[in-house]
Amino acid sequence: VYEHQLDLDGATIYEEIRISVSGVNEVLMMIQDVTQRKQTENALRESEERFRAIFEQAAVGIGLATPSGQLLRVNKGLCDLLGYSETELIGKTLQEITHAVDRSDYLLQTRRALAGEVQTFSLEQRYLCKTGHLRWVNTTVSVMRDALSVPQCFIAIVEDIQERKETEEALRQAKEAALKEAARSADANRTKSE
């Protein structure tokens, strides 16, 4: 069996050729047009290459996890964000790397997604880094289902929002300090006028 490619009037045709000996002076040759199959295979290969490039080169963390939350595949962005190597993260569950305080919200949303109530959800939560430090992230999770709508895996897109959370906290503290100072100043002015 061998495949042959020919260009005919600007179109590429793929043929599969099978040759077998059928007698002393006879050869049987079967030629089958496999153009549709080759085009499908090429389209699938190109799609897989695009997915792999997006997955590996994304500026955010990406993880694929089983319906129970076990990480099957992670990209460099997620590894860098959490300080783990790929082999250290694979096999961990999303629950394991989620801060205990944030787990109940995460588990509630995953149950809703698995039940088909939502297709996608987003949460601001804290992940546990390898160093033990907490890192604020915005995690957007989608459920991938098969043709029968059975959940196959979760796709998690993880964006680092640590800097934004630190800025929000600094602003909150500054506002609180300013309010305290204003209240102290008002009390001092009242005391002077009495």
Side-chain angles (χ1 to χ4, degrees):
V1 177
Y2 72 95
E3 290 183 356
H4 178 71
Q5 173 184 335
L6 52 112
D7 293 318
L8 188 62
D9 296 328
T12 302
I13 307 292
Y14 296 93
E15 297 174 327
E16 187 175 86
I17 302 171
R18 295 176 186 267
I19 301 174
S20 63
V21 177
S22 60
V24 175
N25 292 326
E26 296 176 352
V27 173
L28 177 64
M29 182 165 55
M30 294 186 312
I31 302 173
Q32 180 180 6
D33 183 349
V34 293
T35 302
Q36 186 71 33
R37 185 189 80 208
K38 290 298 284 184
Q39 289 172 340
T40 302
E41 289 172 356
N42 289 341
L44 178 60
R45 186 182 63 256
E46 289 170 6
S47 175
E48 288 172 346
E49 288 170 0
R50 276 191 305 275
F51 172 79
R52 189 174 11 266
I54 290 167
F55 188 86
E56 292 304 326
Q57 297 172 19
V60 294
I62 303 175
L64 300 179
T66 64
S68 64
Q70 184 177 22
L71 288 165
L72 300 169
R73 188 169 176 194
V74 295
N75 74 345
K76 184 177 181 325
L78 188 59
C79 293
D80 291 347
L81 181 66
L82 300 177
Y84 288 99
S85 70
E86 182 180 352
T87 54
E88 291 171 321
L89 270 178
I90 299 294
K92 285 189 178 296
T93 64
L94 290 168
Q95 297 91 319
E96 284 179 75
I97 61 172
T98 300
H99 187 272
V101 173
D102 300 325
R103 279 189 202 134
S104 62
D105 286 341
Y106 171 77
L107 292 171
L108 172 67
Q109 293 301 323
T110 57
R111 280 193 292 273
R112 291 184 66 222
L114 291 172
E117 295 174 25
V118 295
Q119 175 65 27
T120 301
F121 64 89
S122 291
L123 292 171
E124 288 188 356
Q125 58 188 11
R126 288 157 292 185
Y127 275 174
L128 297 166
C129 297
K130 183 177 179 178
T131 60
H133 292 96
L134 295 175
R135 176 158 300 276
W136 276 102
V137 296
N138 182 53
T139 305
T140 301
V141 180
S142 296
V143 181
M144 218 168 89
R145 297 177 182 276
D146 65 13
L148 299 173
S149 291
V150 175
Q152 297 300 300
C153 70
F154 285 115
I155 302 169
I157 307 297
V158 181
E159 179 186 5
D160 184 359
I161 60 169
Q162 183 71 30
E163 189 174 309
R164 188 192 89 203
K165 286 294 195 175
E166 288 172 354
T167 301
E168 287 173 356
E169 179 60 21
L171 287 172
R172 187 194 64 74
Q173 289 178 5
K175 182 179 177 182
E176 188 177 289
L179 288 172
K180 284 182 184 176
E181 179 60 29
R184 191 180 62 72
S185 226
D187 285 346
N189 286 340
R190 254 190 310 255
T191 305
K192 283 182 184 177
S193 63
E194 292 176 358

